[in-house]
Amino acid sequence: HVIDNQHLNSSTKIAAGIINPITGRKFVKSWMIDQLLPEALETYREIEQVVNIKVIHPANIIRVIFNEESDRHWERIQLNDSAKKYIVQDPDISNYSDIIHPIFGYGELTNSCRIDMAKLIEAYQQKLSKDSLISFEQFNYDRLSFDESLINYSGLKASRIIFCEGYKSISNPLFSYLPFQPAKGQAIRFELEGFYTQKMLRHKQFIVPMNDNQFWSGGGYQWDDLNENTSNEFLDKWFEDMSEMIKMKPKLIDHKAAVRPAVKGRRPLLGNHPTHKNAYIFNGMGTKGASLVPYWANHMVSYLVNNEILDNQVDIKRFEP
């Protein structure tokens, strides 16, 4: 049974859901991407079948090469045999060539995609509601009690409880000791009149095509002022970056903010409470949740159901007080 506050304040609902195999200004392979990607695609395809929607949107990513140093990093990753399946040997920027300002160079990534997380969440909530497996309410920790074999929450009894609360876990009395480093980010929906493409562009800002001839952009890491309030400073900087990137002026459609559940060490948090052994956490996916969650969710299930040992990289025992 799921207890959900309608995903209020959720960073997942405003994220683009990008699965990007090679990231960062130094063009490095995403952590565990060779294992994560096939599991993610298989899981999302299964979800598409279960709730009868489309959430996987394959899209290559055009990567801007800013200067000679950036070019050296790009050349290095091209020589990495394990990365070659993610790299297009002859990048095609024809979609963007008419609107983008000239720059040093370009690369192109393949086997990348966007997962429509907001649509997925809404559809799965509806399925759970139809099956009477979800309660839409704010979780109240004071109503939770434990005995040797059961947890009890407002009369609902279960053998285990798993907390998947995003950055709100910093207020969870059971798991607030974990080294969360929440980071506020902001997301923008916009239009480019008369222009549309299937490819994503990673420049100073991301340009990510959505389903409705609109685009998504966003990011940012703000470690204080952890709330869902948008800022004019972010928006002004975004417009400034866009004017340096492209010749068109974007038309703003929407602007939102949320807080990501980033964590020290940038590795997920899985496991059970050191005292209350039937209380668990599944969290800390940060900015790469679309690729990380399916793999680690299956890992968590194997741990819960088959008594498999948690991977040391994600086991919260590494942070036990």
Side-chain angles (χ1 to χ4, degrees):
H1 193 89
V2 177
I3 299 170
D4 186 358
N5 69 349
Q6 292 280 19
H7 258 62
L8 295 175
N9 318 121
S10 169
S11 58
T12 305
K13 289 186 78 171
I14 72 166
I18 298 169
I19 297 181
N20 183 357
I22 295 175
T23 63
R25 290 188 176 274
K26 293 186 177 181
F27 303 114
V28 296
K29 281 180 67 179
S30 294
W31 176 60
M32 289 186 62
I33 190 63
D34 295 334
Q35 294 80 38
L36 298 175
L37 182 59
E39 189 121 14
L41 294 177
E42 180 181 356
T43 300
Y44 292 126
R45 288 187 188 112
E46 290 177 359
I47 292 173
E48 287 182 329
Q49 294 298 313
V50 168
V51 293
N52 194 30
I53 59 171
K54 178 176 175 58
V55 299
I56 306 171
H57 301 279
N60 283 9
I61 302 175
I62 302 297
R63 289 297 312 262
V64 165
I65 299 171
F66 289 98
N67 48 42
E68 291 182 358
E69 180 184 3
S70 181
D71 193 40
R72 286 194 294 270
H73 293 308
W74 181 252
E75 289 180 354
R76 175 189 49 77
I77 194 66
Q78 286 183 299
L79 296 175
N80 183 331
D81 288 338
S82 69
K84 288 182 179 178
K85 61 184 173 182
Y86 303 117
I87 297 171
V88 176
Q89 292 305 312
D90 297 308
D92 176 11
I93 67 155
S94 57
N95 297 91
Y96 284 99
S97 58
D98 289 340
I99 73 161
I100 195 167
H101 291 301
I103 201 158
F104 189 92
Y106 304 91
E108 185 172 354
L109 305 177
T110 189
N111 290 305
S112 49
C113 63
R114 178 180 67 83
I115 307 299
D116 193 334
M117 302 302 284
K119 186 177 181 181
L120 183 155
I121 290 168
E122 181 180 354
Y124 218 90
Q125 282 177 332
Q126 291 175 359
K127 172 180 166 49
L128 292 173
S129 182
K130 183 179 179 180
D131 296 339
S132 300
L133 292 174
I134 191 168
S135 301
F136 293 111
E137 62 183 76
Q138 185 69 37
F139 191 86
N140 186 334
Y141 302 108
D142 294 335
R143 297 179 187 170
L144 180 66
S145 61
F146 297 87
D147 63 29
E148 291 183 2
S149 59
L150 289 175
I151 62 97
N152 188 316
Y153 181 78
S154 295
L156 180 66
K157 296 181 179 180
S159 59
R160 300 180 174 110
I161 183 169
I162 306 169
F163 290 96
C164 313
E165 302 168 287
Y167 92 99
K168 291 293 186 176
S169 277
I170 61 176
S171 301
N172 184 328
L174 293 169
F175 294 106
S176 59
Y177 72 90
L178 292 170
F180 284 96
Q181 295 179 326
K184 179 177 175 177
Q186 301 187 47
I188 291 170
R189 282 262 197 163
F190 64 100
E191 289 181 355
L192 296 171
E193 187 176 355
F195 175 79
Y196 193 72
T197 176
Q198 294 297 322
K199 294 183 180 181
M200 296 183 263
L201 174 69
R202 184 63 173 107
H203 203 302
K204 288 185 174 182
Q205 299 284 348
F206 244 123
I207 294 180
V208 180
M210 307 300 278
N211 300 335
D212 45 12
N213 288 344
Q214 294 180 3
F215 296 88
W216 178 99
S217 187
Y221 288 86
Q222 187 175 346
W223 307 105
D224 53 8
D225 193 29
L226 298 178
N227 54 50
E228 291 75 46
N229 299 328
T230 58
S231 70
N232 290 331
E233 291 82 3
F234 181 92
L235 192 60
D236 291 343
K237 180 64 167 60
W238 181 81
F239 273 113
E240 179 182 329
D241 285 346
M242 292 295 285
S243 68
E244 294 176 4
M245 290 166 48
I246 60 175
K247 302 171 185 175
M248 301 180 68
K249 183 175 181 179
K251 177 184 176 183
L252 183 67
I253 303 298
D254 197 13
H255 181 196
K256 293 181 178 179
V259 181
R260 311 181 196 89
V263 65
K264 184 179 179 181
R266 296 188 179 184
R267 295 292 180 261
L269 299 172
L270 279 66
N272 64 334
H273 189 269
T275 303
H276 299 293
K277 300 299 184 181
N278 50 358
Y280 299 80
I281 189 169
F282 184 85
N283 207 319
M285 303 296 152
T287 60
K288 293 183 168 60
S291 60
L292 290 171
V293 167
Y295 179 93
W296 291 113
N298 283 327
H299 185 66
M300 183 83 170
V301 169
S302 296
Y303 162 67
L304 293 169
V305 177
N306 302 323
N307 296 316
E308 292 189 9
I309 297 173
L310 282 179
D311 189 313
N312 289 332
Q313 297 179 94
V314 301
D315 193 336
I316 61 170
K317 287 180 180 178
R318 68 195 194 271
F319 298 121
E320 278 191 3

